[in-house]
Amino acid sequence: MMRQVNVAVLGAGTVGGGVVDAIRRNGRLMASRLGIELGVHRLVVRDTRKRRDFDTNGAKVGADWREAVVDPRTDIVVELVGGTTTAREMVLAALQAGKPVVTANKALLSAHGEELFAAAREGGANLYYEASVAGGIPIIKVMREALIGNRVTAAYGILNGTCNYILTRMRAEGAEFETVLKDAQRLGYAEADPSLDVDGIDALHKAGILASLAHGFWVDVKKVAAEGIRGVTPLDMDFSGRLGYTIKLLAAIKLEAPKAPARGGKAAKAGASGLRISVTVCPTLVPNHHVLASVSDVFNAVFVRGDIVGDTLYYGRGAGRNATASSVLSDLADAALDLRCGERQRLPPFVPHEEFGALMAPGDVVSSHYLRLSVTDKPGVLARIAAILAKEQIGISSVIQPEGHEGASVPLIFMLHHATRSAVDRALKSIRRLPVVTGEPALFRVETFE
Ligand code: NAP
Ligand code: HSE
């Protein structure tokens, strides 16, 4: 007999509205596949008088989320409110009541993931978060299930739809940053606070979730400084293009060589386990011949290298109403099936299996870099900068002083060989102090995907 599962959707903005609408459109199709009918019986919003641009389809609309969570008819709670305060209370309350929760909230998972996973364990309910990373791409399922037999040696992701949309339009049309950001907001791609997008924080939250799933220890991204796209100029796009690259906000998660084992105790075990990873999120020059260079607009892509499978690629819309709703529906189907099977913890939301995994200090991460300076155009400038780089053992692979820039300051672009980030930062500190250097330098990683 067809079973009915009642869903309380908390939040009916871009994503919540999309979920209600998608269930109205495809609920029957899902029911025929699952043998379970999903019905949104409660919808919680902040302002009940606001006009909604979707059919609420008979759901009771209210502002009291506690009432919706504790309603004995509510089988599954979907949190689509955003933020890390009320949303945390909502998710905790539902899990403590033993109700499975679906969320798209990567900021919440990043800040409170361990606490929420513990609450899920204790409440005997599951927490599902497919929509928290890369919008409509089922990358959480891939990491948790499809690649379960692989050690992930590297994962690279274009993980923020808003940034990719902005960079694509700036490059293609020479469009202004602020104008394109407004369009991204209008299209429902951006976070309520868009600085989370453009400053790289949202992509870092997502990278932390992927890194944790791939490597089995909770990766605390507070130890990584995200670098956003505000400093990327049309000149950078032009010159990186001439050098054979496209600039993307790229998250890179890499399995690094193990640190020399320390003597004694826990540290020795950590060395013996040998699992060390690096996580970076910053504007990155991606070679034009690499598949990630052609990922445009709001699309995201995740390139995962497994030791058994080799290279794999996942692509789709990274933000927006329908793409994100699709991932929420996938979680709802899993939650409904788990409820029907009476197995509320079939696969726990996060399995910490690598007790001694460690995150590499950002300063130790080695990479090639693109450096753009603004300098006074006079003899000897290049020599002084080259001397500072040489002192830090940083090789220069090419230097460009583009023609056609006249006046007090001109751009000077360096492609730097592999060096640790701390060596590059030290050099940059000295370079900034030179009186001939005007304006803020731009430093981006160059990725070779080796
Ligand atoms: P949104 O459009 O701002 O919608 C937020 C919804 O939450 C609104 O319906 C709002 O009510 C409601 N709300 C806010 N505070 C509330 C409270 N205290 N009690 C009850 N309801 C409250 O946000 P969104 O873009 O849908 O994003 C929701 C979540 O999905 C966020 O965690 C976001 O990071 C994540 N996400 C978004 C996307 C995307 O493309 N937008 C993609 C992936 C993940 P009112 O409508 O009455 O104001
Ligand atoms: N603001 C996010 C983005 C939404 O632009 O990628 C999807 O997580």
Side-chain angles (χ1 to χ4, degrees):
M1 204 180 79
M2 184 77 75
R3 185 180 157 181
Q4 164 91 25
V5 164
N6 291 319
V7 181
V9 177
L10 316 184
T14 303
V15 184
V19 169
V20 176
D21 200 43
I23 291 177
R24 187 187 52 78
R25 278 163 57 190
N26 284 357
R28 232 173 241 256
L29 174 70
M30 287 183 76
S32 62
R33 289 172 174 167
L34 292 168
I36 302 170
E37 214 167 282
L38 295 167
V40 178
H41 79 127
R42 275 179 175 272
L43 204 48
V44 177
V45 293
R46 190 171 28 198
D47 179 358
T48 52
R49 284 168 305 171
K50 200 189 271 183
R51 271 179 69 105
R52 305 286 156 186
D53 59 354
F54 59 92
D55 181 352
T56 54
N57 211 21
K60 181 176 174 190
V61 181
D64 186 344
W65 64 263
R66 288 178 205 278
E67 189 189 277
V69 168
V70 299
D71 182 340
R73 286 167 304 158
T74 298
D75 299 305
I76 303 174
V77 174
V78 181
E79 182 278 306
L80 296 170
V81 163
T84 57
T85 49
T86 310
R88 173 175 163 270
E89 288 176 45
M90 290 168 163
V91 173
L92 282 175
L95 293 173
Q96 283 157 3
K99 300 195 180 183
V101 175
V102 175
T103 183
N105 193 336
K106 53 273 164 159
L108 179 68
L109 288 170
S110 183
H112 302 293
E114 284 182 301
E115 180 191 21
L116 301 178
F117 298 143
R121 209 170 36 247
E122 282 153 27
N126 216 337
L127 177 60
Y128 306 80
Y129 49 97
E130 186 61 72
S132 68
V133 181
I137 306 175
I139 192 66
I140 301 294
K141 240 188 192 351
V142 165
M143 291 300 224
R144 277 161 56 91
E145 299 178 27
L147 297 183
I148 198 162
N150 284 262
R151 170 73 72 193
V152 173
T153 54
Y156 304 92
I158 294 173
L159 298 178
N160 186 271
T162 301
C163 286
N164 207 41
Y165 176 77
I166 293 174
L167 291 175
T168 303
R169 284 198 48 201
M170 280 172 67
R171 187 172 192 224
E173 306 162 25
E176 290 290 329
F177 180 91
E178 290 298 338
T179 314
V180 194
L181 173 58
K182 282 201 179 80
D183 287 345
Q185 289 177 292
R186 187 176 42 77
L187 290 163
Y189 302 158
E191 296 301 304
D193 171 4
S195 62
L196 291 174
D197 296 296
V198 297
D199 292 331
I201 299 159
D202 175 77
L204 182 61
H205 290 156
K206 294 166 176 168
I209 295 168
L210 290 185
S212 304
L213 282 177
H215 296 293
F217 67 99
W218 192 246
V219 176
D220 183 2
V221 290
K222 286 199 278 303
K223 294 177 186 150
V224 179
E227 293 164 50
I229 63 165
R230 288 185 205 263
V232 181
T233 64
L235 188 82
D236 298 316
M237 292 191 166
D238 182 18
F239 273 88
S240 57
R242 292 192 206 187
L243 290 162
Y245 297 92
T246 303
I247 301 179
K248 295 288 177 195
L249 182 74
L250 191 76
I253 302 160
K254 297 186 191 180
L255 191 59
E256 300 282 351
K259 210 173 181 176
R263 287 186 192 197
K266 198 169 170 174
K269 281 192 190 158
S273 123
L275 194 123
R276 212 160 62 118
I277 65 160
S278 63
V279 176
T280 51
V281 172
C282 52
T284 303
L285 273 68
V286 174
N288 281 335
H289 58 76
H290 194 274
V291 65
L292 289 181
S294 56
V295 176
S296 302
D297 295 304
V298 73
F299 284 86
N300 280 191
V302 191
F303 182 93
V304 185
R305 185 169 290 155
D307 62 346
I308 308 287
V309 69
D311 290 349
T312 61
L313 180 71
Y314 312 91
Y315 171 83
R317 284 181 187 276
R321 167 170 276 199
N322 289 336
T324 313
S326 168
S327 286
V328 173
L329 292 192
S330 159
D331 277 348
L332 276 172
D334 277 349
L337 286 173
D338 287 353
L339 279 179
R340 188 180 64 183
C341 299
E343 281 185 55
R344 289 177 170 217
Q345 294 267 10
R346 185 176 54 98
L347 190 57
F350 174 64
V351 184
H353 57 82
E354 200 65 60
E355 198 184 344
F356 296 107
L359 179 64
M360 196 174 192
D364 294 343
V365 178
V366 173
S367 179
S368 305
H369 290 92
Y370 162 103
L371 172 64
R372 177 190 30 89
L373 301 172
S374 184
V375 298
T376 310
D377 193 11
K378 60 182 186 189
V381 170
L382 186 57
R384 292 175 75 181
I385 294 165
I388 291 174
L389 292 168
K391 192 170 163 233
E392 292 295 342
Q393 306 287 313
I394 302 168
I396 301 170
S397 57
S398 62
V399 182
I400 309 164
Q401 183 172 347
E403 287 181 8
H405 292 266
E406 282 160 25
S409 291
V410 292
L412 187 59
I413 293 160
F414 294 85
M415 295 296 278
L416 305 176
H417 280 304
H418 271 71
T420 62
R421 180 59 195 251
S422 53
V424 176
D425 283 344
R426 277 195 303 274
L428 208 50
K429 198 170 166 193
S430 303
I431 289 170
R432 271 199 186 94
R433 281 202 212 111
L434 294 174
V436 290
V437 173
T438 57
E440 193 47 32
L443 179 74
F444 307 141
R445 281 182 62 240
V446 179
E447 185 54 67
T448 53
F449 300 93
E450 277 157 9

